[in-house]
Amino acid sequence: MTPDTPGPLAEATPISPTATPAEATAEGGSLLAAVELRKRFGATTALDGASLRVAAGEIVALMGPSGSGKSTLLHCLAGIFPPDAGEVRYGDRSLSRMSETARSALRRGEFGFVFQFGQLVPELTCAENVALPLRLSGVRRREAQRRAVGELERLAVADVARKRPGEVSGGQGQRVAVARALVTQPKVIFADEPTGALDSLNGEQVMRLLTEAARASRAAVVLVTHDARVAAYSDREVVVRDGRTRTFG
Amino acid sequence: MPCIVAVMSIGHALLGLLESGPRHGYDLKRSYDERFGQDRPLHYGQVYATLSRLLKGGLVEVDGVTPGDGPERKRYAITTAGVTDVERWLAAPEKPELYLQSTLYTKLVIALLTGRPAADVLDRQRAEHLNTMRALTRRKATGDLADQLVCDHALFHLEADLRFLELAAARLDALARTVTEARP
Ligand SMILES: Nc1ncnc2c1ncn2[C@@H]1O[C@H](COP(=O)(O)OP(=O)(O)OP(=O)(O)O)[C@@H](O)[C@H]1O
Ligand SMILES: [Mg+2]
């Protein structure tokens, strides 16, 4: 990794009004913790007492059968929707006790997201897509563009900076999405099947870049995947079955 | 069975390495270990036993002897018969391994038969497999391309096992019924 890793830079240029120091962790040293989450969609129980702790800088893979509740758990952890019962804590704060405005500021400032598809804005160039979260946090256009291009370089896709998402390959698009998740130097990256649509070589490259970048900036990663080869990039895995979490090893 | 396969392919691998020119036994061992033996380097005894077998079969010959004594003084060269043997070996496909007698499956059935929690057997095995996959993935980050391929081969096999574990976990209830009803 390059000597100008983003860690110190993040300290020097705070971009988020809600910045929580990584040291301000929840009890037991975890940065992010879900305790006994329950969530129903109509008659379907998606989460049935799921718990999870993620330490700062830790890479955790969520695995388990289709429909077991992995994506629901990820969305609750990221404060995208609230659980019916249970609590999500980030540092010393409870997500459910925050206002929606505060939660979305938290998502913008501290969290990064990578999904399987459809996450890039088709009308913007790839560089503009990567710059977007910075712009939303109030970073000036030229500065945002400069950092976006830097991030694209780190992910070895600087050559697609001026192209639109429709003009790049699936693997390139996914790297752009990873660049966008990383550009704000988030404390936690949430990734739901980030390599799901890629062949194994491309999937693997995306995982390598994502985990290297996360480790370089001490970001935690919560990664949903069906693919054991992808999960092997994590520090540990948590299996979700019938809305409950099981931890082994 | 796997033992015979290993011994046979050591001979062929050594022959193949000799094709680029005559070498001493220790040189051959080093070269084999570098390319194929990361986890299981050859013993000198194995190397010399294999070479003497190849010598008897006329597949290699002694190309020169450095003054002194001991087997390590000899330099070996491949013969025409040896080259033909390598060619035949490369042309014949390996028999795919069938994995029909897997310990994993046996443990699963015994757990079900004895009323022990089979799901825990599966989950623990899965964790163990993933730990090994993590170690190989880390190793891949630092290895050269050849070493990465060795790791990838192992990773794909472990992944196949994990898929089996996932499938078995999904069918555990049905399997439990079959196993406990069907046989005495
Ligand atoms: N918005 C929703 N409305 C209704 N039901 C939902 C909704 N989201 C999820 N579910 C249901 O909740 C359960 C858990 O879904 P979830 O998406 O969390 O599973 P998953 O583990 O991510 O599965 P997959 O591996 O297939 O992505 C499923 O039964 C699903 O049908
Ligand atoms: Mg999902």
Side-chain angles (χ1 to χ4, degrees):
Chain A
M1 277 127 280
T2 50
D4 57 335
T5 47
L9 211 141
E11 259 52 87
T13 55
I15 50 164
S16 159
T18 61
T20 305
E23 298 77 54
T25 53
E27 73 285 12
S30 45
L31 175 64
L32 186 66
V35 185
E36 285 287 310
L37 299 188
R38 289 171 202 284
K39 179 81 183 172
R40 296 173 67 108
F41 295 105
T44 309
T45 301
L47 293 180
D48 189 17
S51 299
L52 178 71
R53 287 171 179 286
V54 182
E58 192 182 26
I59 302 179
V60 178
L62 295 182
M63 303 190 75
S66 190
S68 60
K70 304 180 294 295
S71 296
T72 307
L73 177 56
L74 189 88
H75 286 96
C76 287
L77 280 168
I80 293 172
F81 51 61
D84 300 335
E87 192 181 38
V88 177
R89 300 188 66 80
Y90 176 67
D92 54 5
R93 305 154 77 191
S94 166
L95 255 57
S96 46
R97 288 200 214 109
M98 292 164 73
S99 67
E100 181 46 41
T101 320
R103 261 198 307 273
S104 71
L106 181 71
R107 283 197 299 271
R108 256 202 328 271
E110 310 261 316
F111 297 169
F113 296 90
V114 191
F115 297 109
Q116 188 171 350
F117 328 92
Q119 44 195 327
L120 299 175
V121 182
E123 293 80 15
L124 300 179
T125 67
C126 288
E128 286 164 348
N129 264 285
V130 176
L132 192 59
L134 293 173
R135 298 283 294 139
L136 292 174
S137 302
V139 177
R140 313 267 299 253
R141 179 184 301 276
R142 288 188 54 174
E143 170 65 6
Q145 198 71 9
R146 189 185 65 75
R147 283 167 61 181
V149 171
E151 206 59 51
L152 287 171
E153 270 164 16
R154 179 149 78 133
L155 289 155
V157 279
D159 51 325
V160 304
R162 288 156 186 281
K163 290 189 173 181
R164 283 171 217 289
E167 300 162 345
V168 306
S169 75
Q172 288 166 335
Q174 221 37 5
R175 290 184 200 205
V176 174
V178 170
R180 192 180 62 176
L182 290 166
V183 77
T184 56
Q185 293 157 1
K187 293 281 194 288
V188 190
I189 296 162
F190 295 95
D192 198 345
E193 296 281 356
T195 62
L198 305 178
D199 65 41
S200 64
L201 190 60
N202 262 299
E204 196 140 329
Q205 279 167 347
V206 165
M207 272 320 291
R208 193 170 49 74
L209 293 164
L210 172 63
T211 50
E212 274 174 5
R215 289 193 200 285
S217 55
R218 294 267 302 143
V221 180
V222 183
L223 164 75
V224 172
T225 183
H226 282 113
D227 186 338
R229 286 164 57 82
V230 167
Y233 283 86
S234 67
D235 298 319
R236 75 188 160 93
E237 79 277 5
V238 170
V239 179
V240 184
R241 276 194 218 295
D242 302 324
R244 282 185 294 272
T245 40
R246 298 164 67 97
T247 311
F248 280 86
Chain B
M1 194 60 183
C3 189
I4 293 167
V5 171
V7 170
M8 272 167 42
S9 65
I10 289 173
H12 285 114
L14 294 184
L15 279 177
L17 291 172
L18 279 175
E19 277 206 58
S20 58
R23 292 183 196 215
H24 287 95
Y26 62 80
D27 192 18
L28 210 46
K29 168 190 155 45
R30 214 181 41 217
S31 174
Y32 179 98
D33 287 349
E34 253 169 37
R35 284 177 191 277
F36 313 118
Q38 284 105 336
D39 294 325
R40 220 186 305 169
L42 292 177
H43 301 296
Y44 277 103
Q46 255 175 313
V47 177
Y48 292 113
T50 307
L51 282 171
S52 82
R53 182 167 59 75
L54 297 175
L55 201 57
K56 234 178 265 165
L59 304 178
V60 299
E61 59 196 12
V62 176
D63 177 65
V65 182
T66 323
D69 51 25
E72 64 278 13
R73 302 293 169 186
K74 287 184 189 155
R75 209 162 69 141
Y76 297 87
I78 192 165
T79 62
T80 319
V83 174
T84 310
D85 200 59
V86 172
E87 239 157 58
R88 211 182 303 140
W89 176 62
L90 287 180
E94 291 297 303
K95 219 175 171 45
E97 288 184 47
L98 284 179
Y99 303 105
L100 288 177
Q101 283 179 320
S102 126
T103 314
L104 241 78
Y105 174 76
T106 310
K107 274 193 169 180
L108 196 58
V109 171
I110 295 296
L112 290 170
L113 276 175
T114 57
R116 290 187 172 89
D120 288 358
V121 172
L122 290 174
D123 275 341
R124 268 192 295 269
Q125 190 62 52
R126 160 200 196 94
E128 186 67 24
H129 264 62
L130 258 171
N131 279 339
T132 306
M133 289 182 76
R134 263 188 211 106
L136 287 166
T137 301
R138 276 195 301 272
R139 174 169 144 186
K140 250 172 58 169
T142 53
D144 60 10
L145 186 60
D147 191 47
Q148 284 173 21
L149 267 179
V150 169
C151 293
D152 273 323
H153 188 231
L155 279 165
F156 279 119
H157 278 86
L158 289 164
E159 185 196 10
D161 279 349
L162 273 175
R163 288 188 184 205
F164 164 77
L165 290 170
E166 198 60 60
L167 186 79
R171 295 184 181 168
L172 212 47
D173 291 342
L175 182 64
R177 279 195 300 278
T178 317
V179 162
T180 45
E181 277 166 16
R183 306 199 185 131

